[in-house]
Amino acid sequence: MGYMCGICGFVTKKNISLQFLRQMNDIMFHRGPDDSGAEIFNANNGYSVGMAQRRLSIVDLSLQGHQPMHANDDSVILVFNGEIYDYQDLKCKTKEYPYVSKCDTETIIGTYLKWGRISLNKWIEKIDGMFAFALYDKKIQTLYLVRDRIGKKPLYYWIDGYDIVFSSELKSIMVHPYFKKNINKKVIPRYLFQQYINAPDTIFDDVYQLEPGCILSYKIGGEINIQKYWDIYSEYKIGIQEMVSDYSEAKYILKKILKNAVSKRMIADVPLGTFLSGGYDSSLITALAQECSNTPINTFSIGVYDDNLDEAKYARKISEYLGTRHTEMYLDDKILFDMIEDIPKYFDQPFADSSQIPTMLVSKIAKEKITVALSGDGGDELFCGYSIYDQIRLAQKFDRIGGLLYFVGKLGIRNYRINELYPIQIKAVTENRDKRFKTQVGANGYQSVIHKMMKSESNYYEQKYDMEIDYIENNWQIKRMLLDMYTYLPGDILTKVDRSSMRYSLECRCPMLDTEVIRYSFRMSHYFKYNHGDKKHILKDIAYDYIPKEILERPKQGFSIPINNWLTGGLRHKVEEYADESFLKEQGIFEPQFVHKLIKQYLNVGDRGPATGNNYSRIVWPFFIFQQWYEYYVH
């Protein structure tokens, strides 16, 4: 079970060689160094179908798991990235299929032949796991691209007329001989604000990310159709119809589901461990993993030489208490700084969440001892853990006051009194009048600056997401949590974890994002998650069953990256190059005069200087990352 890897392929009428398909595949060597396969098949009407995979073997290390994998009657061909947790159960339910391997990949074919030709939704509903795969059905001349429910595994595709090219990473598509690197300019303001590009968009025109929980069907030579087989908001609406109001019952069942989620992710024929930051989520996952193991598990953390910011000391205490085999690495600015050059190479499109750097580093040290790592990702979104959720609660509480103050300002009464008499939170609520973005409070000043940075075009996307208005829910915290599950979780967190870990051929599994954990979280009273300001209340309570409260309970610090120091120090020369007016004019994306002046002022004074009055490293960093990516792939 389990093939963390890269997949790619195409359906085309063009003359694309097997040698080129292998080149597309091998550019993702880091995703799967253990094995590779590439094949091209003839289809109807002059089309050919190419499918390839790079393999990182986790369970069943034999050649029986080689891909592309063919059905026993050769009617179906599959390339697969991920793991199917219920594959043994699926084998029992599809006994009529003559399985020849012990791996989970083959169960996708077996279940498709039993259910998929009848109902795609019924087929995928049977599959529990994290996955991105391409399945070609010769009988009906149809290619299916499928992505898991929450978006753990990536899948990109390029539409070129009636041709389609797909891959786990954009770099495979970029090497295609007919691909033109036309920048998708309308997403750039949103990227600068959000620091990532959310599905279905990418940085290129006509290239898309398949959204989580979706199936793309392409009848060769015909139309492309996308259907959603699993939807977060739909699952939430189902969950609240069966609310669990008894806290003891909720804690007991959640603990049981979490332990099962951890246990089934520990199946591997290679060494396994956990990322241990010392926070509640990673500590709970580590404790459950240690409970499921007969021997000490491997744990990994990174620290910094600053006692006020260092969290490795807390992780060490938790490791000692649980009895794990712990590895830690202390980092200085130089080690972190040296990782910056890796960002465009392994992230493929602009991605400016600076925590990607420590995530890459902890993956690097983990890979020296293990091949599979468990992480605590998903706990904040599902159980109300981010500090922004405190701010959103206040925003909802003071929304009427904000509306009144906004109305007073509209009447012409001087607004300076609002700035003088009320805290910045009230000012942010006062400005928060757009019903589409109620839970995305604040940062309007940054939006205004980003707008001025762009060339004057009318088709830019909104910098904030307008989908939250579709969620019928009175509690703004819940609305924002749902929004984060659609956007920030797959677009930022899971992208960061996938690229950072696969850069070192390390598989990362996220028990918190188990389908049953997600579904049960939707059934809980929100009060169990946010209890009088105590975020992730029920998760903390479960963690205390394993680790003493006095070890776990401490202020959340987070891993601090000195972005402002880097931009105004070691990266200053490159930032100046990227903001050069002549270069910006040639590039044709940004407003040259405004951006040059903004960057010059920022570099002179840094964050909170009189020339800017704000933490404009928040804008300059994603600008730098974009230009670094542009220089690496386009210029």
Side-chain angles (χ1 to χ4, degrees):
M1 182 180 78
Y3 295 101
M4 293 302 104
C5 60
I7 63 172
C8 63
F10 51 73
V11 177
T12 184
K13 270 192 170 183
K14 299 180 178 73
N15 184 21
I16 304 296
S17 68
L18 183 61
Q19 181 182 356
F20 167 72
L21 178 58
R22 287 172 176 153
Q23 182 185 347
M24 282 181 66
N25 196 33
D26 290 346
I27 203 169
M28 298 185 294
F29 178 85
H30 55 281
R31 294 191 72 92
D34 297 333
D35 186 25
S36 68
E39 299 176 31
I40 296 178
F41 323 98
N42 292 325
N44 288 350
N45 302 318
Y47 281 90
S48 59
V49 178
M51 302 179 80
Q53 185 232 29
R54 289 239 43 124
R55 177 183 177 192
L56 174 64
S57 303
I58 305 298
V59 173
D60 186 2
L61 310 184
S62 73
L63 291 177
Q64 288 182 327
H66 181 78
Q67 298 181 39
M69 183 174 283
H70 295 242
N72 67 306
D73 62 359
D74 203 38
S75 67
V76 171
I77 303 155
L78 174 75
V79 285
F80 164 62
N81 171 21
E83 60 177 313
I84 309 302
Y85 302 124
D86 61 341
Y87 78 107
Q88 295 284 20
D89 182 52
L90 289 175
K91 279 189 174 181
C92 292
K93 292 176 180 177
T94 55
K95 288 181 179 178
E96 64 274 22
Y97 183 80
Y99 289 100
V100 296
S101 74
K102 296 179 181 179
C103 69
D104 58 342
T105 306
E106 201 175 7
T107 60
I108 298 175
I109 294 175
T111 53
Y112 172 76
L113 292 174
K114 182 167 184 174
W115 295 296
R117 285 175 176 160
I118 302 168
S119 168
L120 293 176
N121 276 17
K122 187 175 182 180
W123 167 44
I124 302 299
E125 282 171 4
K126 304 284 184 185
I127 299 173
D128 174 25
M130 60 175 181
F131 49 81
F133 61 82
L135 184 144
Y136 172 50
D137 188 332
K138 289 183 179 180
K139 185 176 180 181
I140 59 174
Q141 293 285 292
T142 300
L143 175 75
Y144 297 108
L145 302 181
V146 187
R147 193 175 180 203
D148 64 55
R149 293 166 178 79
I150 205 69
K152 186 69 178 67
K153 295 286 106 184
L155 193 52
Y156 298 90
Y157 62 97
W158 166 42
I159 304 298
D160 181 27
Y162 286 103
D163 287 5
I164 185 169
V165 181
F166 65 88
S167 180
S168 297
E169 296 189 357
L170 276 176
K171 60 171 66 70
S172 291
I173 296 173
M174 281 189 265
V175 300
H176 194 284
Y178 294 94
F179 183 68
K180 295 180 175 62
K181 297 175 182 178
N182 296 323
I183 303 293
N184 181 5
K185 295 179 183 178
K186 62 182 179 288
V187 306
I188 295 175
R190 179 180 286 177
Y191 154 74
L192 291 172
F193 185 72
Q194 304 286 356
Q195 304 194 341
Y196 61 94
I197 299 172
N198 200 49
D201 297 300
T202 72
I203 194 59
F204 293 119
D205 288 335
D206 302 319
V207 183
Y208 307 93
Q209 303 177 64
L210 187 63
E211 292 184 81
C214 284
I215 305 171
L216 180 151
S217 306
Y218 174 49
K219 184 84 171 178
I220 291 179
E223 292 185 355
I224 288 173
N225 294 299
I226 298 175
Q227 64 188 81
K228 205 157 183 63
Y229 68 87
W230 199 86
D231 178 71
I232 290 164
Y233 183 52
S234 298
E235 291 291 329
Y236 170 72
K237 287 191 292 184
I238 293 168
I240 60 175
Q241 300 303 314
E242 304 174 313
M243 289 294 290
V244 179
S245 56
D246 182 271
Y247 180 79
S248 297
E249 177 189 347
K251 180 185 172 184
Y252 173 80
I253 295 177
L254 178 60
K255 185 177 181 179
K256 186 177 179 181
I257 293 172
L258 280 170
K259 185 175 179 181
N260 182 58
V262 169
S263 176
K264 65 188 180 184
R265 283 165 178 78
M266 293 181 70
I267 300 172
D269 290 338
V270 291
L272 178 145
T274 72
F275 294 154
L276 179 60
S277 69
Y280 283 97
D281 298 341
S282 68
S283 298
L284 175 55
I285 295 302
T286 300
L288 290 168
Q290 187 58 73
E291 186 177 47
C292 294
S293 176
N294 294 323
T295 58
I297 63 166
N298 296 287
T299 53
F300 303 88
S301 65
I302 54 178
V304 291
Y305 296 107
D306 182 336
D307 200 53
N308 294 321
L309 298 175
D310 180 39
E311 293 195 321
K313 56 191 176 188
Y314 303 111
R316 193 183 314 124
K317 286 182 180 179
I318 291 163
S319 166
E320 289 169 356
Y321 184 83
L322 294 174
T324 71
R325 286 194 299 267
H326 193 57
T327 302
E328 62 184 32
M329 178 182 182
Y330 271 74
L331 310 173
D332 55 29
D333 273 7
K334 185 181 184 306
I335 296 172
L336 292 165
F337 189 84
D338 288 345
M339 296 295 292
I340 293 174
E341 289 186 5
D342 269 358
I343 292 174
K345 184 176 180 181
Y346 293 100
F347 280 80
D348 282 8
Q349 66 176 347
F351 183 88
D353 181 343
S354 61
S355 65
Q356 65 201 146
I357 298 172
T359 307
M360 282 193 285
L361 285 165
V362 74
S363 299
K364 182 180 181 180
I365 64 169
K367 180 60 180 178
E368 294 173 3
K369 295 185 178 181
I370 64 173
T371 306
V372 176
L374 306 189
S375 79
D377 295 298
D380 288 312
E381 291 84 0
L382 291 175
F383 297 97
C384 200
Y386 291 126
S387 59
I388 186 67
Y389 299 144
D390 290 318
Q391 299 169 35
I392 288 161
R393 181 176 176 275
L394 290 173
Q396 183 170 13
K397 182 178 180 181
F398 293 113
D399 188 53
R400 289 188 178 182
I401 296 173
L404 177 61
L405 292 174
Y406 179 79
F407 178 71
V408 168
K410 279 290 193 181
L411 291 177
I413 300 173
R414 289 176 63 84
N415 274 330
Y416 74 85
R417 292 190 60 79
I418 294 174
N419 296 329
E420 291 177 352
L421 299 178
Y422 297 97
I424 191 168
Q425 292 92 337
I426 296 296
K427 183 176 182 291
V429 171
T430 303
E431 296 171 348
N432 188 32
R433 296 300 98 209
D434 196 323
K435 292 182 179 179
R436 295 173 299 166
F437 313 125
K438 280 296 187 180
T439 74
Q440 299 167 74
V441 64
N444 291 340
Y446 294 117
Q447 286 189 280
S448 175
V449 172
I450 290 169
H451 180 75
K452 292 174 184 176
M453 290 174 70
M454 306 307 300
K455 277 190 165 294
S456 298
E457 294 184 25
S458 58
N459 65 339
Y460 290 128
Y461 288 162
E462 288 277 3
Q463 293 175 41
K464 295 180 179 179
Y465 299 111
D466 60 7
M467 62 185 73
E468 71 170 72
I469 200 169
D470 297 326
Y471 310 152
I472 301 171
E473 169 57 54
N474 293 327
N475 187 317
W476 287 15
Q477 280 185 332
I478 296 174
K479 263 193 171 186
R480 178 56 186 265
M481 289 162 66
L482 290 168
L483 179 68
D484 286 343
M485 289 177 219
Y486 272 107
T487 56
Y488 182 67
L489 178 60
D492 187 310
I493 299 297
L494 297 182
T495 298
K496 173 186 69 178
V497 171
D498 176 80
R499 304 308 187 279
S500 297
S501 59
M502 293 310 297
R503 183 255 181 271
Y504 295 101
S505 306
L506 177 75
E507 175 190 333
C508 188
R509 302 173 177 176
C510 305
M512 292 281 187
L513 295 176
D514 185 89
T515 303
E516 292 310 308
V517 175
I518 295 171
R519 284 176 170 152
Y520 196 71
S521 77
F522 291 154
R523 293 183 58 198
M524 288 183 193
S525 165
H526 187 64
Y527 182 70
F528 298 168
K529 305 172 189 178
Y530 192 84
N531 187 321
H532 298 293
D534 184 28
K535 297 185 291 294
K536 292 194 291 195
H537 177 77
I538 195 165
L539 278 189
K540 292 177 180 178
D541 204 6
I542 295 172
Y544 297 146
D545 289 345
Y546 294 93
I547 305 164
K549 188 174 183 178
E550 56 268 24
I551 296 179
L552 277 172
E553 198 171 50
R554 59 185 175 77
K556 179 67 176 174
Q557 293 168 296
F559 198 100
S560 179
I561 299 293
I563 296 298
N564 182 61
N565 294 343
W566 289 355
L567 290 171
T568 57
L571 295 175
R572 183 186 187 98
H573 180 66
K574 289 299 292 185
V575 176
E576 288 174 335
E577 281 185 18
Y578 292 153
D580 178 76
E581 280 194 69
S582 60
F583 171 72
L584 293 172
K585 285 177 184 176
E586 178 190 344
Q587 190 178 34
I589 295 172
F590 300 100
E591 188 59 50
Q593 191 173 5
F594 180 84
V595 170
H596 177 76
K597 183 179 179 182
L598 173 74
I599 300 296
K600 185 177 180 181
Q601 289 177 334
Y602 166 76
L603 291 176
N604 286 336
V605 297
D607 279 340
R608 300 194 181 280
T612 59
N614 256 310
N615 289 337
Y616 278 168
S617 59
R618 185 187 185 282
I619 294 173
V620 179
W621 176 251
F623 170 79
F624 168 81
I625 292 294
F626 175 86
Q627 297 291 50
Q628 183 193 37
W629 170 86
Y630 184 88
E631 182 180 48
Y632 189 88
Y633 285 112
V634 181
H635 190 240

